[in-house]
Amino acid sequence: MMNTQDVIALFDKYVIANYGRLPKVITKGLNNKLWDLEGNEILDMFPGWAVSGIGHCHPKVVEAVQKQVSELIHIDNTFYITLQGQLAKMLSERAFGGKSFFCNSGAEANEAALKLARRHTPKEKYKFITAEKSFHGRTFAAVTATGQPKYHEGFLPLPPGFVYVPYNDIDALQEAFDDEVAAVMIEPIQGEGGVHEATAEYMQTIRDLCDAHGALMILDEVQTGMGRTGQWFGYQHYDITPDIITLAKALGGGLAIGAMMARPEIAASLVPGTHASTFGGNPLACAAGVAVIEAIEEEGLLDNAKQTGQYTREKLEELKEKYPIIDHIRGKGLMLALQLAVPGANIVGRCLEKGLRINCTQETVLRFMPSMTVTKEEIDQAVAILGEVLDEEE
Ligand SMILES: *Cc1c(COP(=O)(O)O)cnc(C)c1O
């Protein structure tokens, strides 16, 4: 039997050290709880970086995957499979009637969106406008779209054509726009960048400028999609319709899946031979995706994201009143952040020691992104632990 130190030693020797990992080996997850190798229970308020959006090992997902795994695990996209068609229909009906391309991750979904935008628009359009502090993934184009210099370090020169503008800055957007722009890509709420919401006016301006210049509006909904904000997709809080959205994270209830959904007349530009993914839209991932959407509807989880999101926000506001190191709370639904006046990594580590998992991004932003199945009791428990840690911090 290996213990935690043994597993860490194994990683040190054989796994590339490209992640800063917390010193715990996780062996089991159920709904909003995790267990480590020593049997300690952890309350998970950041499940799988928003992947486990309906909790760990949701019974509907488990059942759907167990059934599918014994029938057909993989078949290539040379053939049709029912589940991929069904999942595409379910997504289309809950968004803007788009058509989907399936892949395996958020970065791949964004790659597909960028390629489609280039291919669909005239040759002279080669530019992409993205936002500072954005996060779009780690493949070469996705990381280039990511408007954070720290993620570009050591990888220059990057693919050409990307232009960065400050988020929510309408003047800067107007200034950056010209007829060479193929698309604007932004997150409705920046996630990794620290939970910053686009204003309604900003979204409308993007839509108007894209229409005026024949460019496409791509929304990266990899984190905001699948209900976390209380709507199926983040854009549905606004009065606009995008041309393309990208999804991944919570779409598969834990299985690897990504999707790029485009308005049908734009999607038509991806004819055979223009783009592909070997594993994209495989039977297991699609079975999981269908189960996720059904579970969200059967269990009223969009409503829970709104209600419990509001409740969490109130509880976090109470913490803010008590602890001056919390500057303010921001976010929507179950995508919430505490802006600290100090670095938060230490707080995350101490919470974990007390059995609570949260996240810190951009050094001073604590992120609360529990699953949509989270209860008020679990929020109370989480806030109590965070309070204890902040008590010690004062
Ligand atoms: C996580 C994330 C990505 C990247 O997804 P991967 O599956 O890691 O490639 C892209 N965009 C946003 C908004 C994300 O939160």
Side-chain angles (χ1 to χ4, degrees):
M1 251 308 259
M2 285 197 272
N3 65 24
T4 296
Q5 286 321 312
D6 299 333
V7 176
I8 292 175
L10 209 54
F11 270 61
D12 287 346
K13 197 154 181 203
Y14 297 110
V15 180
I16 293 178
N18 61 311
Y19 299 101
R21 295 179 197 265
L22 296 167
K24 275 203 182 289
V25 179
I26 304 300
T27 54
K28 194 174 154 62
L30 187 62
N31 203 8
N32 298 308
K33 292 200 174 77
L34 291 172
W35 286 269
D36 70 12
L37 195 50
E38 276 76 32
N40 299 304
E41 191 176 293
I42 300 158
L43 182 61
D44 195 353
M45 291 291 118
F46 200 71
W49 289 70
V51 164
S52 307
I54 57 170
H56 295 282
C57 294
H58 190 285
K60 257 196 96 98
V61 175
V62 171
E63 195 195 330
V65 170
Q66 278 177 342
K67 178 168 174 287
Q68 186 56 44
V69 80
S70 58
E71 310 236 329
L72 184 64
I73 296 175
H74 181 76
I75 185 70
D76 43 275
N77 281 299
T78 320
F79 295 98
Y80 292 93
I81 56 166
T82 310
L83 283 164
Q84 191 182 126
Q86 282 173 335
L87 180 56
K89 176 170 189 265
M90 291 169 98
L91 290 173
S92 184
E93 287 170 351
R94 284 156 188 81
F96 47 84
K99 290 176 115 175
S100 288
F101 160 80
F102 291 101
C103 50
N104 315 285
S105 67
E108 282 175 77
N110 287 334
E111 290 280 337
L114 295 169
K115 281 182 71 179
L116 173 55
R118 278 271 179 89
R119 188 141 182 116
H120 180 75
T121 56
K123 255 207 192 81
E124 65 276 12
K125 291 187 176 294
Y126 71 99
K127 290 185 189 166
F128 296 113
I129 298 180
T130 68
E132 291 171 7
K133 289 198 187 153
S134 60
F135 186 83
H136 299 296
R138 304 296 198 135
T139 57
F140 245 107
V143 84
T144 306
T146 296
Q148 301 190 56
K150 68 176 179 188
Y151 292 129
H152 298 164
E153 254 170 55
F155 301 119
L156 305 180
L158 298 168
F162 289 83
V163 179
Y164 311 105
V165 293
Y167 195 64
N168 275 336
D169 183 333
I170 286 170
D171 292 340
L173 187 68
Q174 278 165 340
E175 189 117 340
F177 236 103
D178 59 33
D179 287 331
E180 291 179 329
V181 174
V184 176
M185 181 160 84
I186 66 150
E187 299 153 85
I189 303 174
Q190 291 187 327
E192 195 272 351
V195 188
H196 301 282
E197 242 178 281
T199 63
E201 198 189 358
Y202 192 57
M203 282 292 212
Q204 190 61 56
T205 307
I206 295 174
R207 184 68 275 175
D208 293 344
L209 285 169
C210 283
D211 289 343
H213 291 271
L216 301 185
M217 179 174 187
I218 304 171
L219 293 181
D220 179 343
E221 298 251 17
V222 169
Q223 200 167 131
T224 48
M226 304 315 290
R228 170 156 299 284
T229 67
Q231 297 276 3
W232 276 111
F233 307 104
Y235 83 83
Q236 291 166 336
H237 293 282
Y238 301 87
D239 208 13
I240 54 101
T241 306
D243 297 305
I244 298 176
I245 58 174
T246 56
L247 304 171
K249 294 215 162 91
L251 176 56
L255 268 82
I257 183 170
M260 187 262 311
M261 194 197 305
R263 282 175 29 218
E265 61 275 27
I266 296 165
S269 292
L270 283 192
V271 297
T274 53
H275 197 56
S277 165
T278 299
F279 286 107
N282 67 76
L284 271 194
C286 289
V290 168
V292 165
I293 293 175
E294 285 174 355
I296 289 173
E297 282 178 354
E298 282 165 17
E299 296 171 24
L301 298 182
L302 291 179
D303 255 355
N304 193 52
K306 275 185 219 129
Q307 311 292 337
T308 313
Q310 185 55 37
Y311 181 79
T312 310
R313 193 177 181 119
E314 284 160 20
K315 291 288 142 180
L316 295 178
E317 294 284 357
E318 284 171 22
L319 275 188
K320 186 209 131 197
E321 293 311 313
K322 206 164 155 211
Y323 302 99
I325 65 164
I326 304 174
D327 187 76
H328 66 274
I329 313 296
R330 54 177 186 256
K332 202 171 218 123
L334 287 169
M335 189 167 176
L336 293 165
L338 299 93
Q339 176 65 60
L340 302 178
V342 298
N346 191 36
I347 295 174
V348 170
R350 301 258 303 290
C351 284
L352 189 63
E353 285 164 20
K354 291 175 182 286
L356 170 67
R357 199 251 175 135
I358 54 173
N359 167 265
C360 177
T361 188
Q362 303 290 328
E363 282 181 28
T364 56
V365 182
L366 293 184
R367 271 195 294 179
F368 255 70
M369 299 213 306
S371 89
M372 293 161 72
T373 61
V374 76
T375 63
K376 288 179 179 167
E377 291 69 35
E378 286 167 329
I379 295 297
D380 288 345
Q381 215 184 326
V383 170
I385 295 174
L386 179 57
E388 277 175 38
V389 169
L390 292 173
D391 274 333
E392 295 161 13
E393 198 74 8
E394 293 291 291

